[in-house]
Amino acid sequence: MRKQSTRFMAMTLVLALILTLAAACSGGGKSNDAGGSSGTSNTGNSQSQNTGGDAGGGNDAKPSGDEPGWKSNTDPITFDWYINFAWFPSKWGEDPTSQYVTRKTGVDINFIVPAGNENEKLNAMIASGKLPDFITLGWYEDGVKRMIEGGLVLPLNKLAEEYDPYFFKVADPAKLSWYTQPDGNVYGYPNASSSPKDYQLYGEHYTSNQTFVVRKDMYEALGKPDMRTPEGFLDALRRAKEMFPEVNGQPLIPIGLHEFGETGNYSLQDYLQNFLAIPREKDGKLYDRQTDPEYVRWLKVFRQANEEGLLAKDIFIDKRPQMEEKIAQGRYFAMLYQRSDFAAQQNVLYANDPNSVYIAVDGPANANLDPPTLSGPSISGWTLTLISKDVKDKERAIQFLTYLISEEGQKDLYLGEKGVSYDTIDGKDQFLPEALELLQTDRSAFDKQYGSSFTFWMLMDTNMNLQWAPPSVEPFKQMEDWTKGKTYSFSQFDLLDPPANSEEGIAKTKIDQEFGKALPKLLLAKSEAEFDKIWNDYLAEREKAGWEKLQAYRQMKYEENVKKLAEFLE
């Protein structure tokens, strides 16, 4: 996991492959220095940490590209790395895997994580004109364009040419081409990215993160109702509330959704549209999914659910930490939700009672009951990692990034240190039994005790990791398997949005915000007539803001994407 259609796609797709990425677990966290448990210094006193961005270690020889550049200098250095996700809980240097990487490369990391609103923190940094050494954020974030256009980040290809040509041996040419800017440079490298050729090689393994789930014991007690139609959906919510009014003394929440934000709600935008199998284009022209009759019909279903008292007030105000707490308590009957976002809570439920976990079932569907078209991995991936113009050492920065995207770096961050979290067992490099058991039962504890399996996911390659990944197990396997055969690549619909300061970009921002204001009002409308008025007012505001110009820009970018993706397959 966003242009909420493509935008969230990134997030949802992304984690689809990775078992149950811990990174998506709870907790915010302020940054603090990774503690020198690896034996390296955080004081920045080595030659390689001069602030002028010069190559460190006194090595003036031009790199050949035959060997990884990081091996030429493993002096201690600490990089500041900004993660634009307030929920990211991990700190470098507090687990064996990150300590191992630091011992090996000399690189220590001080993660900086926003304590509250990510956009406010990122905007403030961009406005200041000074950024931390590394920056990781969603590819769909407007901050990417602003940093590039503002000259705040460095071209990775130029850094690689000068300091570490080995980068071009390990970087995926399709991904570099996809993210090449009009000036011919590449400023960010994606994680969890899958090209068209990756689909040919690994497609059978691909799953989606987008799921409609129900609490297993409650669903079975209700007789496994069909929830694909409006009538069946509402009836199941009603009966669940009647049969299970409370969960451990707390009121049942009949349906859970992602949190509401200033531009809407993932669950009620891209997710719902995908479950309804609403096309993204027709006859080569982008389709306006938002005005599709099936989508409007189901928004009215949710309005009716609220009128009947089936939408708890919690869903309008809760943020992720509150939702995670309630999921762990099993208080939701059903959720239209990203499965990886409640991996840790699913483990808690499974440990307490395997029948109390959430399982994926057929959810809202269109009138023809067509199967959903769920977002799978895309070439855009989930996040981009960029290097700041203020980076304290250009050479060490590009060398470390190159190490991280190489197979060696991927293996180090996935399996960890040999003998600590993995070993060669039956001729295969795999997690030690005790590590695997903890990974499958308590992801948060695993992150702290081992720090592998992409606890640090910033540059994870979800295709490369398949060679080391253990088979999926319950309580996650059922949800993953349910998405197989319903998962598609929508890469051609990525990167359609205009620069924020352009006429079309300004229109997009206003339209997104208008929908963000309209969506809760639509659900809270006291009648269908009131819903219709709110909806028509929104559409009028959308037109006034410049919808036609925005769509014309997106159509142009879409056609460029289709052509570019076709080239990748040649």
Side-chain angles (χ1 to χ4, degrees), residues 15 97 152 211 222 244 271 304 315 374 404 409 424 432 539:
L15 290 182
T97 296
L152 299 178
T211 49
L222 294 174
F244 307 100
Y271 270 31
Q304 184 178 340
I315 70 171
L374 306 177
L404 291 176
T424 304
L432 292 167
L539 292 180

Side-chain angles (χ1 to χ4, degrees), residues 258-396:
H258 280 275
E259 66 183 69
F260 282 81
E262 64 175 8
T263 61
N265 186 300
Y266 297 151
S267 299
L268 296 176
Q269 289 168 264
D270 190 53
Y271 270 31
L272 181 56
Q273 291 164 1
N274 287 353
F275 268 84
L276 300 179
I278 298 174
R280 297 169 185 265
E281 61 85 26
K282 289 186 177 181
D283 300 322
K285 298 294 182 184
L286 291 178
Y287 180 62
D288 183 5
R289 303 176 95 202
Q290 206 171 62
T291 56
D292 186 273
E294 292 282 0
Y295 178 59
V296 177
R297 179 172 76 118
W298 270 92
L299 286 182
K300 289 184 176 183
V301 172
F302 279 89
R303 186 214 69 80
Q304 184 178 340
N306 182 68
E307 184 179 3
E308 296 185 27
L310 301 174
L311 297 189
K313 291 185 175 64
D314 310 53
I315 70 171
F316 293 99
I317 58 176
D318 281 351
K319 298 300 180 186
R320 181 161 168 171
Q322 290 78 42
M323 294 165 66
E324 288 175 343
E325 181 181 358
K326 290 170 183 175
I327 294 171
Q329 296 167 347
R331 287 184 58 191
Y332 297 98
F333 163 61
M335 295 188 289
L336 189 56
Y337 208 71
Q338 175 168 266
R339 60 184 173 80
S340 64
D341 275 13
F342 63 95
Q345 293 73 37
Q346 180 85 323
N347 261 331
V348 171
L349 293 169
Y350 191 71
N352 291 336
D353 179 1
N355 285 318
S356 70
V357 299
Y358 289 93
I359 58 171
V361 298
D362 293 336
N366 61 32
N368 294 327
L369 300 183
D370 294 321
T373 54
L374 306 177
S375 295
S378 78
I379 193 169
S380 296
W382 169 29
T383 67
L384 278 181
T385 292
L386 307 94
I387 295 176
S388 163
K389 70 175 178 59
D390 302 306
V391 65
K392 58 177 60 75
D393 189 314
K394 296 176 184 176
E395 182 175 25
R396 295 294 296 280

Side-chain angles (χ1 to χ4, degrees), residues 222-244:
L222 294 174
K224 299 182 179 180
D226 185 343
M227 300 180 70
R228 294 177 296 170
T229 65
E231 299 76 19
F233 179 82
L234 290 170
D235 183 62
L237 297 187
R238 290 186 202 108
R239 293 198 294 128
K241 186 177 180 182
E242 292 168 3
M243 187 177 291
F244 307 100

Side-chain angles (χ1 to χ4, degrees), residues 33-51 75-80 102 106-110 133 392:
D33 290 338
S37 55
S38 58
T40 60
S41 168
N42 282 333
T43 60
N45 59 359
S46 73
Q47 180 183 356
S48 60
Q49 275 189 290
N50 66 76
T51 57
D75 290 346
I77 185 171
T78 298
F79 285 118
D80 293 324
T102 295
V107 176
D108 210 340
I109 297 172
N110 170 43
D133 302 303
K392 58 177 60 75

